[in-house]
Amino acid sequence: MRCTVVFARPERQWEWRLELPDGVDLAQALAAAQTQALSASDPPQIDWQNAKVGIFGLACGRHIRLSDGDRVEIYRPLAVDPKESRRDRARRLRKP
């Protein structure tokens, strides 16, 4: 089974193409990607154990079994809370 694990920062993106046995879960794919990442010359700084993850843009747990061709995404923490950002924008627009 083939899958891809990806992680992105504003300045750079990483992609690890993996070939894994059938029936692996997301946690096992992350462990394989972490092994590849740590052997690279410029590994990304990722909290591999606690980062939120998903498959094709849908957040999910690490126990989910992968299918052939899945794209596993590692998400960064938000820099700003979206609700707070909307409130700030609304306050600025209301001011004369």
Side-chain angles (χ1 to χ4, degrees):
M1 179 197 70
R2 295 178 185 188
C3 74
T4 304
V5 177
V6 296
F7 177 71
R9 294 216 181 270
E11 68 279 358
R12 182 161 177 215
Q13 298 81 41
W14 289 266
E15 178 178 274
W16 300 279
R17 294 174 188 261
L18 305 172
E19 191 143 339
L20 302 167
D22 288 339
V24 298
D25 62 20
L26 200 145
Q28 292 167 313
L30 288 173
Q34 182 179 12
T35 301
Q36 279 190 19
L38 294 177
S39 66
S41 61
D42 184 22
Q45 298 299 316
I46 301 173
D47 182 359
W48 292 93
Q49 304 307 315
N50 300 309
K52 300 232 183 257
V53 294
I55 299 173
F56 288 118
L58 297 174
C60 62
R62 294 167 185 258
H63 64 282
I64 298 294
R65 299 264 178 234
L66 297 180
S67 299
D68 190 44
D70 277 350
R71 175 186 166 98
V72 175
E73 300 164 346
I74 304 170
Y75 303 123
R76 292 180 283 129
L78 295 175
V80 177
D81 178 23
K83 288 181 183 179
E84 199 55 44
S85 176
R86 283 190 293 273
R87 286 184 195 117
D88 289 344
R89 197 168 39 251
R91 278 186 221 118
R92 283 193 307 267
L93 292 174
R94 275 187 265 162
K95 289 185 181 179

